[in-house]
Amino acid sequence: MATDPKDVVRAFVDALNRQDWDRVGRMAAPDFSYTIMSCHLPGAGTPMDRETMLKVLPGAFALFDEVGPQLEITRLVAEEEWVVAEAEGSGFFRDGSPYTNRYANVYEVVGDRVRTIREYMDTQHMAHSFADAGMVGRPGHPLPDGG
């Protein structure tokens, strides 16, 4: 029985929201590629493989409170193995400052695994949110001063 690619995306996002890094790793295909589609963030535009993603994301999530950032899917559209998800991201940094953003992510699903993620978001808003929370310039912060 074939797995519905939209269900795979829902399960992958659920694993991220729960910070279940073992499950995220199992759901990422061996040839996994994750690219933040931005021209202005350091490292953006350069695909991360599964191992790199599993190092970077826990560090980024650690900037948030114990719940972490949450991604709520508001729309899924699929054609064969490709799924486009519109989503709202929200959470609170450790200092209590809020974070919100809107996302459009493109997923390629092969079987029951995610092979490709291309993430589109308002990177300027993200940089300002991190700066407002006093995160810019701190060790482990994903953005340099001026993000």
Side-chain angles (χ1 to χ4, degrees):
M1 174 185 247
T3 304
D4 182 340
K6 290 192 287 187
D7 289 338
V8 173
V9 168
R10 286 183 191 103
F12 189 84
V13 169
D14 178 66
L16 286 171
N17 284 341
R18 294 174 186 272
Q19 299 179 54
D20 184 344
W21 305 117
D22 289 335
R23 185 172 170 214
V24 169
R26 287 191 309 273
M27 292 191 72
D31 56 346
F32 177 83
S33 174
Y34 170 49
T35 308
I36 297 174
M37 304 301 290
S38 169
C39 298
H40 304 291
L41 292 177
T46 303
M48 286 185 272
D49 61 19
R50 179 175 51 189
E51 289 72 27
T52 302
M53 175 199 58
L54 291 171
K55 290 177 186 170
V56 170
L57 288 185
F61 277 50
L63 300 173
F64 291 83
D65 66 9
E66 65 279 349
V67 175
Q70 298 293 297
L71 196 63
E72 179 186 350
I73 296 171
T74 57
R75 177 171 291 121
L76 286 177
V77 179
E79 183 174 328
E80 298 177 10
E81 71 272 10
W82 291 95
V83 179
V84 176
E86 288 186 329
E88 303 255 343
S90 63
F92 291 92
F93 291 104
R94 289 180 298 197
D95 73 351
S97 300
Y99 174 76
T100 60
N101 211 337
R102 294 184 187 124
Y103 296 82
N105 293 336
V106 179
Y107 298 85
E108 180 188 18
V109 176
V110 178
D112 60 352
R113 292 179 159 189
V114 174
R115 176 187 283 163
T116 305
I117 301 173
R118 294 187 190 120
E119 181 173 281
Y120 300 84
M121 68 177 137
D122 185 340
T123 54
Q124 184 176 14
H125 174 71
M126 183 189 76
H128 287 290
S129 295
F130 275 72
D132 290 347
M135 297 295 173
V136 172
R138 288 189 185 175
H141 183 271
L143 302 175
D145 290 329

